[in-house]
Amino acid sequence: MSRRVWLAALVAIAVVCVGGVAATGAATQSVLVVSEDGDDLLVTPVDNGTEVTVEYTHSVEKTLVSDVYAVDGDRLTMTRMEFSSYGAGLPSTVSVTEINDRYVYYPPERHYDPLRITTGYVADHDLVVGDRRYDLVDIADGGTVEISVETRLRIPQW
């Protein structure tokens, strides 16, 4: 068999094998937390519309701030910010709604892909994905992370 025919046969086998795996694998949408070095620190499955919340303690006010996003295809869309008191960096010149002793700000539509967070031990950042809570400071070892949504092919284990 000539070298060219052998190579063509090998490529055809590779395409069939990869195609077969792709056909039997399932695409899974996930929220990813990635380190500054590009390492996956957390991968958790989500559905479109799942709430993703970054919670932290305001450094001056010492009150809880919640930045709430929704999974919107392959990106995060900020849906609201909840806070208990006004302080540096919090919206003070916009219309807010008061719900359960907290101020709720509904920002204009803004998308993030990725969302970049510099975690801190004072702020004690948490990440809440649906009903699962993660200690973001611990996951990031106090560093900066990027949070994004990605659809990945889940390859079955044989």
Side-chain angles (χ1 to χ4, degrees):
M1 184 180 313
S2 77
R3 190 178 224 178
R4 191 174 280 179
V5 172
W6 173 251
L7 184 57
L10 190 58
V11 168
I13 290 169
V15 168
V16 168
C17 288
V18 171
V21 170
T24 60
T28 304
Q29 194 174 23
S30 298
V31 165
L32 277 74
V33 177
V34 179
S35 72
E36 291 177 289
D37 298 331
D39 297 328
D40 288 356
L41 302 175
L42 175 71
V43 179
T44 186
V46 292
D47 293 317
N48 211 38
T50 298
E51 281 195 347
V52 176
T53 305
V54 177
E55 290 187 345
Y56 59 94
T57 301
H58 189 277
S59 62
V60 175
E61 297 298 311
K62 303 298 184 208
T63 57
L64 180 67
V65 178
S66 302
D67 293 335
V68 183
Y69 306 85
V71 173
D72 182 12
D74 60 352
R75 60 190 180 179
L76 295 170
T77 300
M78 187 171 198
T79 60
R80 67 187 183 279
M81 173 189 273
E82 300 176 6
F83 52 101
S84 300
S85 62
Y86 288 99
L90 296 174
S92 60
T93 61
V94 296
S95 178
V96 297
T97 304
E98 195 169 342
I99 301 174
N100 298 327
D101 296 326
R102 301 221 342 130
Y103 299 110
V104 181
Y105 168 58
Y106 299 97
E109 188 170 295
R110 184 163 177 199
H111 308 287
Y112 296 87
D113 181 35
L115 173 63
R116 191 170 172 84
I117 304 284
T118 299
T119 66
Y121 294 100
V122 172
D124 193 29
H125 291 86
D126 278 346
L127 178 67
V128 182
V129 179
D131 61 355
R132 298 173 305 253
R133 178 177 293 275
Y134 304 95
D135 183 337
L136 196 53
V137 179
D138 185 49
I139 290 170
D141 197 24
T144 299
V145 295
E146 290 186 346
I147 302 170
S148 62
V149 180
E150 185 175 304
T151 301
R152 291 185 168 184
L153 181 64
R154 190 178 72 233
I155 299 173
Q157 301 298 314
W158 300 358

